[in-house]
Amino acid sequence: MWEWVLEPWRYGFMRQALAATLIVGTTCALLGVYVVLRRMAFVGDAIAHTTLPGLAIAYLNRWNLFAGAAVAAIATALAIGWLSRGRRLREDAAIGVAYSGMFALGVALTSKMKSQRDFGHLLFGNVLAVTTADLLGLAAAGILTCTALLLVNKEFMLTTIDPSHAQTIGLSPEWTRQLLLILLALAVVSGIQAVGVVLTTALMVTPAASAALVTRRLPWMFAWSALFAWTGGLTGLYASYYLSISAGAAIVLACTLLFGFARFSARWRAARL
């Protein structure tokens, strides 16, 4: 029994993968609570896909991929905020414009790559290939994002629950929304190395959505979201090791199964009341 449990962690690459998954999972899970409560899941998906041109430019010029993705993600977040400022253009339309334009640019740039393997690596990542330098970058982005979230948590909470009251007492819902978009961009970028562009959004949304089914209290929602992300990450890595499947996909599938369990439990509790 214990041999089966401990065997994967005898390898350094598995320990590195676990550390990366826990860092990314924590960052995405905590920020994901506000993503779910504000119904901004599509924003995370758009930002994740629009990192592609930044990744492609950095790859073609042999620059740091993390920095390239960060620049593209933050630029997209700022563009979405600027286009939808003052509500003259609906946010979903602003997201669609930024998403389609940036993603098309990314596809055009990746067409200059030597092979589709290069393109696939940028889309799906490889958590099993995370290096110590990657971990340091992930940790720095995670600490920055979580610290900012902690410092402005009250403002985020109030503008999420009651934006009209927040504006009455002098808080700017527009400013907090813009800051949330930037933090989203940083969180998405920090997750790209672990699970890739395509799968990052699921890691951000699914644990938080599961937590929303378990509790309505915000502090507990943060705790449950992180727990679901950690459990999904650990389970996914075990599945990847023993079933020889993609680690990123296994992690997200594990989180999806946990969401199904949370959904079933919520319906069962409601039926008993």
Side-chain angles (χ1 to χ4, degrees):
M1 172 65 179
W2 286 110
E3 181 71 18
W4 185 88
V5 172
L6 296 176
E7 181 180 339
W9 317 118
R10 294 176 179 172
Y11 301 96
F13 71 91
M14 287 296 293
R15 294 194 296 270
Q16 297 270 75
L18 178 61
T21 301
L22 293 179
I23 293 170
V24 173
T26 302
T27 305
C28 289
L30 297 180
L31 195 56
V33 170
Y34 284 116
V35 171
V36 170
L37 292 178
R38 288 173 174 245
R39 300 178 180 179
M40 294 176 64
F42 185 50
V43 178
D45 183 54
I47 291 175
H49 282 76
T50 53
T51 57
L52 190 57
L55 285 167
I57 292 172
Y59 182 87
L60 291 170
N61 292 279
R62 298 184 179 181
W63 297 337
N64 183 276
L65 293 180
F66 187 87
V71 171
I74 293 174
T76 301
L78 293 174
I80 291 171
W82 180 77
L83 289 171
S84 59
R85 185 176 54 185
R87 302 297 179 182
R88 293 186 64 184
L89 184 69
R90 287 175 59 91
E91 188 175 63
D92 57 348
I95 293 169
V97 171
Y99 168 78
S100 57
M102 290 288 282
F103 191 64
L105 176 61
V107 172
L109 290 170
T110 53
S111 67
K112 297 178 68 64
M113 293 181 179
K114 294 179 181 179
S115 73
Q116 290 301 312
R117 288 184 61 188
D118 299 329
F119 180 76
H121 172 71
L122 296 182
L123 284 178
F124 301 106
N126 186 5
V127 69
L128 300 181
V130 170
T131 65
T132 302
D134 293 328
L135 280 178
L136 292 175
L138 291 173
I143 291 171
L144 178 62
T145 303
C146 292
T147 301
L149 187 61
L150 180 65
L151 291 175
V152 295
N153 186 51
K154 291 182 179 179
E155 288 80 359
F156 277 158
M157 189 184 306
L158 191 54
T159 53
T160 298
I161 297 172
D162 193 348
S164 298
H165 178 64
Q167 199 161 11
T168 301
I169 63 174
L171 293 178
S172 172
E174 192 67 32
W175 178 84
T176 55
R177 176 172 157 277
Q178 193 70 62
L179 179 58
L180 183 59
L181 285 170
I182 294 173
L183 293 180
L184 261 173
L186 290 175
V188 165
V189 170
S190 70
I192 285 174
Q193 178 63 34
V195 293
V197 172
V198 172
L199 302 177
T200 298
T201 309
L203 191 59
M204 182 178 292
V205 174
T206 308
S210 303
L213 294 172
V214 174
T215 181
R216 294 297 179 185
R217 297 186 61 186
L218 195 59
W220 282 107
M221 201 177 292
F222 284 121
W224 275 105
S225 184
L227 181 61
F228 278 121
W230 297 338
T231 305
L234 185 62
T235 305
L237 287 175
Y238 271 117
S240 173
Y241 181 82
Y242 284 109
L243 300 178
S244 298
I245 59 177
S246 167
I251 291 168
V252 176
L253 286 172
C255 290
T256 304
L257 288 174
L258 289 171
F259 172 81
F261 177 75
R263 176 68 174 169
F264 174 80
S265 299
R267 296 192 62 160
W268 181 76
R269 290 196 310 269
R272 292 193 62 186
L273 295 177

